[in-house]
Amino acid sequence: MIIQFNTRAPVYIQVVDHFKKKMALGELQAGEEMPSRRELATELKINPNTVQKAFKEMEEQQLITTERNRPSRVTTDEHVLKRIRTELVDEAIAVFVESIQELDVTMDELVDKIKRQYGEGNLNDRSTGS
């Protein structure tokens, strides 16, 4: 597992975001066992307390469930899993819109450019299921 940590956000938040993306992409399935906290800390070369904080945050956001003396698991709540994907898409769009507005691009020009990018195969065309 590789996470490119940056200095813009706390490490534990970056760990949470990493797992959110894996859940949204289906790389972590509902009910799948999470790595142990110690294992993850060793693998990511970060403090075990940071991993513990990330797991606590994921539990609070209902992304994972932890039963006493059992490994943590990805939630099986479909509403939570859909919410994760929606949040990630909304965040990406917000960053994109903020940066594009600085360039003073019209909505028509923007839509045309996005359609062209999809048509050129630079992005997966999800509207046709391919």
Side-chain angles (χ1 to χ4, degrees):
M1 177 179 322
I2 299 172
I3 300 177
Q4 296 294 327
F5 294 110
N6 63 55
T7 57
R8 293 183 300 254
V11 172
Y12 83 97
I13 295 292
Q14 293 178 64
V15 171
V16 172
D17 289 346
H18 172 78
F19 281 105
K20 278 183 172 181
K21 287 176 187 165
K22 289 181 74 96
M23 290 173 198
L25 293 170
E27 293 174 12
L28 272 176
Q29 300 293 315
E32 186 174 334
E33 192 175 300
M34 296 286 289
S36 76
R37 288 152 174 81
R38 183 174 291 128
E39 184 182 311
L40 190 59
T42 301
E43 189 172 339
L44 297 177
K45 297 180 176 77
I46 60 177
N47 189 307
N49 292 331
T50 302
V51 174
Q52 177 61 33
K53 193 169 183 178
F55 272 64
K56 184 176 186 301
E57 180 66 24
M58 288 189 283
E59 287 169 352
E60 289 175 3
Q61 292 184 29
Q62 300 176 333
L63 306 175
I64 63 172
T65 57
T66 306
E67 295 178 26
R68 191 174 168 104
N69 297 324
R70 309 265 329 212
S72 296
R73 295 189 173 278
V74 175
T75 184
T76 56
D77 185 333
E78 288 299 319
H79 295 293
V80 172
L81 295 171
K82 286 179 183 176
R83 184 190 78 217
I84 294 167
R85 186 178 184 327
T86 299
E87 285 175 9
L88 291 174
V89 170
D90 288 349
E91 288 171 15
I93 290 171
V95 169
F96 171 73
V97 167
E98 184 178 327
S99 66
I100 207 72
Q101 283 176 333
E102 293 173 1
L103 299 174
D104 197 27
V105 177
T106 67
M107 183 63 74
D108 288 339
E109 181 183 3
L110 179 59
V111 170
D112 287 344
K113 289 184 180 293
I114 291 171
K115 285 180 179 178
R116 193 171 328 116
Q117 287 286 329
Y118 268 82
E120 291 174 359
N122 292 338
L123 301 171
N124 293 330
D125 187 348
R126 298 182 195 281
S127 64
T128 61
S130 48

